[in-house]
Amino acid sequence: MENIYMDYNASTPLAPEVKKTITRLLDEAYGNPSASHWAGSPAKTAFEKARGQVASLIGAASEEVIFTSGGTESNNHVLKGIVEANLGKSCHIVTTKAEHPAILEPCRYLEQHGVSITYVDTDTYGKIDPADINEAITENTVLVSVMHANNETGTVQPLEQISAITKRHGIPFHTDASQSIGKIPVNVDKLGVDFLTIAGHKLYAPKGIGALYMRKDKTLPSFMHGAGHEQGRRAGTENVILAGALGQACQAAQYDKSMETIQALRDDFWERLQESFGSRVHLNGHPEERLPNTLNVSFIGYTGQEILARIPEVAASTGAACHSDTVELSNVLQAMGVDEEVGKGAIRFSLGRYSEVKDIRTVVEKLREVLG
């Protein structure tokens, strides 16, 4: 059996056009983009072209995009920056229990430094009720942060409704869109967000590069201090090669038409699993309002780790960690109220641009052999 990759939500392979951009920039953009001489000019041009490509994908202006080292840095910049901008005040942040650790861990850090955090519950599908966000807001709330689409289940959150609430209260709104970019339409004005996080390696670009959208009328203290790079918002000599790679990936995503095919593959996968295992397989996440590439299912009576260990050729992710005789469900499954007996058998299969019908059929056949 050949290796089969079904973990696109964890990381994507580099797209061919991204590889070509990297190779070209290795030769063309070795100068410092801040330098005014002939070697710096092509580097500066390439860097600003990439910024425009990222901005175009999300409907932003180029000057509203800051390049970062990835989604984690972008999230930290917003969460910690908003608190720093409100030093001397009692700060309160509203987020959700189903966020990625790149949100939850900075929030826990801030709690240790006196910031109050409200973690809003989800429903059984992993969706947030905007009314719960509204109820959580206090006079001290300085930020609301809700991910666009969940990395484990693919459930898409009602950001437009939530942004209407934050606007009414005059509170900045941030979303981690690392999983949704390139899979579903993302437009900052339509969503109504003030800050938005992008992670390159979820988008067929390399690891170590990301971006932060910051609306023109919003400001944050610099996350990195040094020279005046990125309009003084993030110091450090610009990584032209990685920025160019992200820019190219964003341009490709803007014209990518493969997601309909990917969704059809995912739906076919789910139908085959239901035919094969009936009530022994359970869907985690919203049946409709989720990313078109994501299928999180629980195999009842098994653990996800046990199943994947028996088909090592398949790259996928589990939703629970097993330690000796105990099982710890992910924070996402816990937030959804998934029963431990169901949650321990969770596996996230996430498809992508290079997934094929034969992959689906092979995996279902191997699961039949393993589960009987």
Side-chain angles (χ1 to χ4, degrees), residues 50-91:
R51 194 192 307 280
Q53 290 170 317
V54 175
S56 180
L57 178 61
I58 60 174
S62 291
E63 60 268 25
E64 295 177 308
V65 172
I66 306 167
F67 283 106
T68 67
S69 64
T72 296
E73 181 189 325
S74 296
N75 289 340
N76 273 261
H77 191 167
V78 176
L79 291 164
K80 296 175 182 177
I82 206 78
V83 171
E84 185 180 346
N86 287 276
L87 282 178
K89 301 179 182 178
S90 295
C91 291

mmCIF file of all heavy atoms in Angstrom, residues 50-91:
data_model
loop_
_atom_site.group_PDB
_atom_site.id
_atom_site.type_symbol
_atom_site.label_atom_id
_atom_site.label_comp_id
_atom_site.label_asym_id
_atom_site.label_seq_id
_atom_site.Cartn_x
_atom_site.Cartn_y
_atom_site.Cartn_z
ATOM 1 N N ALA A 50 4.303 40.500 -3.048
ATOM 2 C CA ALA A 50 3.742 39.451 -2.206
ATOM 3 C C ALA A 50 2.692 40.010 -1.252
ATOM 4 O O ALA A 50 1.637 39.408 -1.045
ATOM 5 C CB ALA A 50 4.848 38.755 -1.419
ATOM 6 N N ARG A 51 2.963 41.186 -0.694
ATOM 7 C CA ARG A 51 2.007 41.808 0.212
ATOM 8 C C ARG A 51 0.674 42.075 -0.516
ATOM 9 O O ARG A 51 -0.408 41.838 0.018
ATOM 10 C CB ARG A 51 2.576 43.119 0.753
ATOM 11 C CG ARG A 51 1.789 43.650 1.961
ATOM 12 C CD ARG A 51 2.176 45.084 2.292
ATOM 13 N NE ARG A 51 3.593 45.314 2.462
ATOM 14 C CZ ARG A 51 4.270 45.035 3.583
ATOM 15 N NH1 ARG A 51 3.647 44.515 4.616
ATOM 16 N NH2 ARG A 51 5.569 45.274 3.659
ATOM 17 N N GLY A 52 0.788 42.546 -1.737
ATOM 18 C CA GLY A 52 -0.415 42.807 -2.530
ATOM 19 C C GLY A 52 -1.182 41.541 -2.852
ATOM 20 O O GLY A 52 -2.424 41.540 -2.883
ATOM 21 N N GLN A 53 -0.468 40.443 -3.090
ATOM 22 C CA GLN A 53 -1.121 39.175 -3.389
ATOM 23 C C GLN A 53 -1.900 38.657 -2.180
ATOM 24 O O GLN A 53 -3.012 38.136 -2.314
ATOM 25 C CB GLN A 53 -0.079 38.140 -3.834
ATOM 26 C CG GLN A 53 0.518 38.423 -5.207
ATOM 27 C CD GLN A 53 1.711 37.530 -5.509
ATOM 28 O OE1 GLN A 53 2.572 37.299 -4.646
ATOM 29 N NE2 GLN A 53 1.766 37.031 -6.733
ATOM 30 N N VAL A 54 -1.307 38.791 -0.999
ATOM 31 C CA VAL A 54 -1.998 38.372 0.225
ATOM 32 C C VAL A 54 -3.239 39.242 0.438
ATOM 33 O O VAL A 54 -4.338 38.747 0.701
ATOM 34 C CB VAL A 54 -1.067 38.458 1.450
ATOM 35 C CG1 VAL A 54 -1.835 38.146 2.732
ATOM 36 C CG2 VAL A 54 0.121 37.510 1.298
ATOM 37 N N ALA A 55 -3.063 40.551 0.293
ATOM 38 C CA ALA A 55 -4.170 41.486 0.511
ATOM 39 C C ALA A 55 -5.317 41.212 -0.461
ATOM 40 O O ALA A 55 -6.498 41.252 -0.081
ATOM 41 C CB ALA A 55 -3.677 42.922 0.350
ATOM 42 N N SER A 56 -4.981 40.916 -1.697
ATOM 43 C CA SER A 56 -6.006 40.687 -2.718
ATOM 44 C C SER A 56 -6.882 39.487 -2.376
ATOM 45 O O SER A 56 -8.098 39.508 -2.603
ATOM 46 C CB SER A 56 -5.345 40.482 -4.083
ATOM 47 O OG SER A 56 -6.305 40.250 -5.086
ATOM 48 N N LEU A 57 -6.289 38.438 -1.817
ATOM 49 C CA LEU A 57 -7.044 37.233 -1.497
ATOM 50 C C LEU A 57 -8.124 37.496 -0.465
ATOM 51 O O LEU A 57 -9.206 36.900 -0.510
ATOM 52 C CB LEU A 57 -6.100 36.132 -0.998
ATOM 53 C CG LEU A 57 -6.756 34.812 -0.582
ATOM 54 C CD1 LEU A 57 -7.490 34.173 -1.758
ATOM 55 C CD2 LEU A 57 -5.726 33.859 0.003
ATOM 56 N N ILE A 58 -7.854 38.414 0.484
ATOM 57 C CA ILE A 58 -8.814 38.641 1.577
ATOM 58 C C ILE A 58 -9.563 39.966 1.436
ATOM 59 O O ILE A 58 -10.289 40.375 2.342
ATOM 60 C CB ILE A 58 -8.099 38.588 2.941
ATOM 61 C CG1 ILE A 58 -7.004 39.658 3.039
ATOM 62 C CG2 ILE A 58 -7.526 37.198 3.194
ATOM 63 C CD1 ILE A 58 -6.360 39.754 4.413
ATOM 64 N N GLY A 59 -9.397 40.649 0.308
ATOM 65 C CA GLY A 59 -10.116 41.888 0.071
ATOM 66 C C GLY A 59 -9.630 43.052 0.908
ATOM 67 O O GLY A 59 -10.406 43.943 1.267
ATOM 68 N N ALA A 60 -8.334 43.072 1.197
ATOM 69 C CA ALA A 60 -7.751 44.126 2.029
ATOM 70 C C ALA A 60 -6.877 45.044 1.192
ATOM 71 O O ALA A 60 -6.573 44.765 0.029
ATOM 72 C CB ALA A 60 -6.923 43.495 3.159
ATOM 73 N N ALA A 61 -6.451 46.151 1.791
ATOM 74 C CA ALA A 61 -5.457 47.021 1.173
ATOM 75 C C ALA A 61 -4.066 46.507 1.543
ATOM 76 O O ALA A 61 -3.878 45.944 2.628
ATOM 77 C CB ALA A 61 -5.633 48.455 1.677
ATOM 78 N N SER A 62 -3.109 46.702 0.656
ATOM 79 C CA SER A 62 -1.765 46.177 0.888
ATOM 80 C C SER A 62 -1.179 46.646 2.212
ATOM 81 O O SER A 62 -0.551 45.865 2.941
ATOM 82 C CB SER A 62 -0.827 46.587 -0.261
ATOM 83 O OG SER A 62 -1.186 45.923 -1.452
ATOM 84 N N GLU A 63 -1.406 47.923 2.541
ATOM 85 C CA GLU A 63 -0.805 48.466 3.762
ATOM 86 C C GLU A 63 -1.434 47.899 5.033
ATOM 87 O O GLU A 63 -0.951 48.154 6.144
ATOM 88 C CB GLU A 63 -0.906 49.991 3.777
ATOM 89 C CG GLU A 63 -2.311 50.551 3.714
ATOM 90 C CD GLU A 63 -2.791 50.834 2.297
ATOM 91 O OE1 GLU A 63 -2.280 50.184 1.357
ATOM 92 O OE2 GLU A 63 -3.659 51.712 2.137
ATOM 93 N N GLU A 64 -2.491 47.100 4.885
ATOM 94 C CA GLU A 64 -3.130 46.488 6.052
ATOM 95 C C GLU A 64 -2.564 45.102 6.357
ATOM 96 O O GLU A 64 -3.012 44.434 7.290
ATOM 97 C CB GLU A 64 -4.633 46.384 5.824
ATOM 98 C CG GLU A 64 -5.343 47.727 5.715
ATOM 99 C CD GLU A 64 -6.819 47.589 5.405
ATOM 100 O OE1 GLU A 64 -7.156 46.881 4.430
ATOM 101 O OE2 GLU A 64 -7.631 48.190 6.139
ATOM 102 N N VAL A 65 -1.576 44.656 5.578
ATOM 103 C CA VAL A 65 -0.995 43.322 5.742
ATOM 104 C C VAL A 65 0.407 43.421 6.318
ATOM 105 O O VAL A 65 1.257 44.151 5.805
ATOM 106 C CB VAL A 65 -0.954 42.567 4.395
ATOM 107 C CG1 VAL A 65 -0.174 41.260 4.529
ATOM 108 C CG2 VAL A 65 -2.363 42.297 3.899
ATOM 109 N N ILE A 66 0.648 42.679 7.404
ATOM 110 C CA ILE A 66 1.962 42.584 8.024
ATOM 111 C C ILE A 66 2.433 41.143 7.876
ATOM 112 O O ILE A 66 1.697 40.213 8.212
ATOM 113 C CB ILE A 66 1.894 42.919 9.524
ATOM 114 C CG1 ILE A 66 1.239 44.268 9.767
ATOM 115 C CG2 ILE A 66 3.287 42.868 10.155
ATOM 116 C CD1 ILE A 66 0.878 44.499 11.219
ATOM 117 N N PHE A 67 3.639 40.932 7.399
ATOM 118 C CA PHE A 67 4.180 39.577 7.332
ATOM 119 C C PHE A 67 4.716 39.169 8.706
ATOM 120 O O PHE A 67 5.335 39.965 9.405
ATOM 121 C CB PHE A 67 5.285 39.489 6.283
ATOM 122 C CG PHE A 67 4.764 39.445 4.873
ATOM 123 C CD1 PHE A 67 4.875 40.560 4.049
ATOM 124 C CD2 PHE A 67 4.149 38.303 4.379
ATOM 125 C CE1 PHE A 67 4.370 40.530 2.753
ATOM 126 C CE2 PHE A 67 3.649 38.270 3.083
ATOM 127 C CZ PHE A 67 3.762 39.384 2.269
ATOM 128 N N THR A 68 4.448 37.918 9.075
ATOM 129 C CA THR A 68 4.890 37.385 10.357
ATOM 130 C C THR A 68 5.549 36.027 10.130
ATOM 131 O O THR A 68 5.649 35.555 8.995
ATOM 132 C CB THR A 68 3.698 37.202 11.315
ATOM 133 O OG1 THR A 68 2.843 36.160 10.811
ATOM 134 C CG2 THR A 68 2.891 38.499 11.460
ATOM 135 N N SER A 69 5.946 35.378 11.221
ATOM 136 C CA SER A 69 6.564 34.055 11.100
ATOM 137 C C SER A 69 5.532 32.941 11.017
ATOM 138 O O SER A 69 5.892 31.770 10.852
ATOM 139 C CB SER A 69 7.492 33.798 12.292
ATOM 140 O OG SER A 69 6.755 33.755 13.503
ATOM 141 N N GLY A 70 4.256 33.285 11.148
ATOM 142 C CA GLY A 70 3.218 32.267 11.057
ATOM 143 C C GLY A 70 1.988 32.641 11.854
ATOM 144 O O GLY A 70 1.895 33.731 12.436
ATOM 145 N N GLY A 71 1.033 31.710 11.909
ATOM 146 C CA GLY A 71 -0.218 31.973 12.594
ATOM 147 C C GLY A 71 -0.063 32.229 14.078
ATOM 148 O O GLY A 71 -0.744 33.084 14.652
ATOM 149 N N THR A 72 0.847 31.513 14.714
ATOM 150 C CA THR A 72 1.040 31.681 16.152
ATOM 151 C C THR A 72 1.515 33.085 16.487
ATOM 152 O O THR A 72 1.005 33.724 17.424
ATOM 153 C CB THR A 72 2.028 30.636 16.686
ATOM 154 O OG1 THR A 72 1.469 29.323 16.513
ATOM 155 C CG2 THR A 72 2.317 30.859 18.163
ATOM 156 N N GLU A 73 2.476 33.585 15.734
ATOM 157 C CA GLU A 73 2.944 34.951 15.983
ATOM 158 C C GLU A 73 1.829 35.965 15.736
ATOM 159 O O GLU A 73 1.649 36.907 16.519
ATOM 160 C CB GLU A 73 4.146 35.291 15.110
ATOM 161 C CG GLU A 73 4.668 36.705 15.383
ATOM 162 C CD GLU A 73 5.717 37.191 14.406
ATOM 163 O OE1 GLU A 73 6.539 36.376 13.942
ATOM 164 O OE2 GLU A 73 5.705 38.395 14.083
ATOM 165 N N SER A 74 1.087 35.784 14.667
ATOM 166 C CA SER A 74 0.001 36.724 14.364
ATOM 167 C C SER A 74 -1.007 36.772 15.506
ATOM 168 O O SER A 74 -1.446 37.849 15.932
ATOM 169 C CB SER A 74 -0.696 36.318 13.058
ATOM 170 O OG SER A 74 0.185 36.403 11.957
ATOM 171 N N ASN A 75 -1.375 35.592 16.024
ATOM 172 C CA ASN A 75 -2.325 35.547 17.131
ATOM 173 C C ASN A 75 -1.759 36.199 18.387
ATOM 174 O O ASN A 75 -2.451 36.946 19.083
ATOM 175 C CB ASN A 75 -2.716 34.097 17.426
ATOM 176 C CG ASN A 75 -3.597 33.489 16.350
ATOM 177 O OD1 ASN A 75 -4.222 34.203 15.574
ATOM 178 N ND2 ASN A 75 -3.649 32.176 16.284
ATOM 179 N N ASN A 76 -0.505 35.899 18.685
ATOM 180 C CA ASN A 76 0.137 36.496 19.855
ATOM 181 C C ASN A 76 0.223 38.009 19.726
ATOM 182 O O ASN A 76 0.042 38.738 20.710
ATOM 183 C CB ASN A 76 1.540 35.905 20.051
ATOM 184 C CG ASN A 76 1.539 34.640 20.874
ATOM 185 O OD1 ASN A 76 1.821 34.656 22.068
ATOM 186 N ND2 ASN A 76 1.221 33.512 20.244
ATOM 187 N N HIS A 77 0.499 38.481 18.518
ATOM 188 C CA HIS A 77 0.605 39.924 18.286
ATOM 189 C C HIS A 77 -0.706 40.612 18.646
ATOM 190 O O HIS A 77 -0.719 41.655 19.319
ATOM 191 C CB HIS A 77 0.972 40.182 16.831
ATOM 192 C CG HIS A 77 1.350 41.605 16.545
ATOM 193 N ND1 HIS A 77 1.966 41.984 15.370
ATOM 194 C CD2 HIS A 77 1.212 42.752 17.262
ATOM 195 C CE1 HIS A 77 2.178 43.303 15.388
ATOM 196 N NE2 HIS A 77 1.715 43.777 16.535
ATOM 197 N N VAL A 78 -1.810 40.033 18.218
ATOM 198 C CA VAL A 78 -3.103 40.662 18.485
ATOM 199 C C VAL A 78 -3.463 40.579 19.966
ATOM 200 O O VAL A 78 -3.794 41.587 20.601
ATOM 201 C CB VAL A 78 -4.218 40.010 17.636
ATOM 202 C CG1 VAL A 78 -5.570 40.598 17.992
ATOM 203 C CG2 VAL A 78 -3.937 40.215 16.148
ATOM 204 N N LEU A 79 -3.407 39.384 20.530
ATOM 205 C CA LEU A 79 -3.851 39.190 21.911
ATOM 206 C C LEU A 79 -3.010 39.979 22.906
ATOM 207 O O LEU A 79 -3.537 40.690 23.776
ATOM 208 C CB LEU A 79 -3.821 37.703 22.257
ATOM 209 C CG LEU A 79 -4.857 36.838 21.536
ATOM 210 C CD1 LEU A 79 -4.506 35.363 21.645
ATOM 211 C CD2 LEU A 79 -6.246 37.070 22.109
ATOM 212 N N LYS A 80 -1.702 39.864 22.775
ATOM 213 C CA LYS A 80 -0.825 40.577 23.712
ATOM 214 C C LYS A 80 -0.760 42.062 23.387
ATOM 215 O O LYS A 80 -0.668 42.904 24.284
ATOM 216 C CB LYS A 80 0.570 39.956 23.681
ATOM 217 C CG LYS A 80 0.590 38.519 24.176
ATOM 218 C CD LYS A 80 1.968 37.882 24.026
ATOM 219 C CE LYS A 80 1.955 36.431 24.493
ATOM 220 N NZ LYS A 80 3.265 35.760 24.283
ATOM 221 N N GLY A 81 -0.824 42.363 22.085
ATOM 222 C CA GLY A 81 -0.753 43.766 21.680
ATOM 223 C C GLY A 81 -1.939 44.571 22.153
ATOM 224 O O GLY A 81 -1.811 45.724 22.567
ATOM 225 N N ILE A 82 -3.126 43.967 22.087
ATOM 226 C CA ILE A 82 -4.330 44.700 22.494
ATOM 227 C C ILE A 82 -4.294 44.987 23.991
ATOM 228 O O ILE A 82 -4.772 46.035 24.450
ATOM 229 C CB ILE A 82 -5.615 43.926 22.105
ATOM 230 C CG1 ILE A 82 -6.794 44.889 21.933
ATOM 231 C CG2 ILE A 82 -5.959 42.848 23.094
ATOM 232 C CD1 ILE A 82 -6.800 45.632 20.631
ATOM 233 N N VAL A 83 -3.725 44.065 24.770
ATOM 234 C CA VAL A 83 -3.596 44.288 26.217
ATOM 235 C C VAL A 83 -2.557 45.364 26.491
ATOM 236 O O VAL A 83 -2.763 46.261 27.318
ATOM 237 C CB VAL A 83 -3.232 42.966 26.931
ATOM 238 C CG1 VAL A 83 -2.878 43.230 28.394
ATOM 239 C CG2 VAL A 83 -4.387 41.972 26.835
ATOM 240 N N GLU A 84 -1.428 45.295 25.769
ATOM 241 C CA GLU A 84 -0.388 46.312 25.950
ATOM 242 C C GLU A 84 -0.915 47.696 25.586
ATOM 243 O O GLU A 84 -0.573 48.690 26.228
ATOM 244 C CB GLU A 84 0.828 45.975 25.087
ATOM 245 C CG GLU A 84 1.998 46.920 25.311
ATOM 246 C CD GLU A 84 3.202 46.580 24.455
ATOM 247 O OE1 GLU A 84 3.237 45.476 23.881
ATOM 248 O OE2 GLU A 84 4.112 47.427 24.354
ATOM 249 N N ALA A 85 -1.759 47.750 24.568
ATOM 250 C CA ALA A 85 -2.322 49.039 24.160
ATOM 251 C C ALA A 85 -3.288 49.594 25.201
ATOM 252 O O ALA A 85 -3.646 50.774 25.150
ATOM 253 C CB ALA A 85 -3.042 48.887 22.816
ATOM 254 N N ASN A 86 -3.719 48.745 26.129
ATOM 255 C CA ASN A 86 -4.662 49.172 27.171
ATOM 256 C C ASN A 86 -4.050 49.061 28.571
ATOM 257 O O ASN A 86 -4.768 48.817 29.548
ATOM 258 C CB ASN A 86 -5.934 48.327 27.088
ATOM 259 C CG ASN A 86 -6.807 48.676 25.899
ATOM 260 O OD1 ASN A 86 -7.612 49.608 25.961
ATOM 261 N ND2 ASN A 86 -6.648 47.940 24.814
ATOM 262 N N LEU A 87 -2.740 49.229 28.639
ATOM 263 C CA LEU A 87 -2.060 49.157 29.936
ATOM 264 C C LEU A 87 -2.672 50.166 30.915
ATOM 265 O O LEU A 87 -3.006 51.290 30.536
ATOM 266 C CB LEU A 87 -0.563 49.440 29.770
ATOM 267 C CG LEU A 87 0.293 48.290 29.225
ATOM 268 C CD1 LEU A 87 1.735 48.738 29.085
ATOM 269 C CD2 LEU A 87 0.195 47.060 30.114
ATOM 270 N N GLY A 88 -2.798 49.728 32.151
ATOM 271 C CA GLY A 88 -3.386 50.594 33.162
ATOM 272 C C GLY A 88 -4.877 50.423 33.299
ATOM 273 O O GLY A 88 -5.494 50.974 34.218
ATOM 274 N N LYS A 89 -5.468 49.630 32.392
ATOM 275 C CA LYS A 89 -6.906 49.380 32.442
ATOM 276 C C LYS A 89 -7.167 47.920 32.833
ATOM 277 O O LYS A 89 -6.300 47.059 32.680
ATOM 278 C CB LYS A 89 -7.552 49.651 31.077
ATOM 279 C CG LYS A 89 -7.369 51.072 30.558
ATOM 280 C CD LYS A 89 -8.021 51.210 29.189
ATOM 281 C CE LYS A 89 -7.804 52.605 28.610
ATOM 282 N NZ LYS A 89 -8.386 52.734 27.249
ATOM 283 N N SER A 90 -8.347 47.646 33.323
ATOM 284 C CA SER A 90 -8.763 46.271 33.572
ATOM 285 C C SER A 90 -9.199 45.669 32.238
ATOM 286 O O SER A 90 -10.198 46.102 31.658
ATOM 287 C CB SER A 90 -9.916 46.232 34.572
ATOM 288 O OG SER A 90 -9.509 46.697 35.832
ATOM 289 N N CYS A 91 -8.435 44.709 31.757
ATOM 290 C CA CYS A 91 -8.685 44.160 30.421
ATOM 291 C C CYS A 91 -9.427 42.826 30.495
ATOM 292 O O CYS A 91 -9.127 41.961 31.323
ATOM 293 C CB CYS A 91 -7.370 43.966 29.676
ATOM 294 S SG CYS A 91 -6.564 45.503 29.212
#
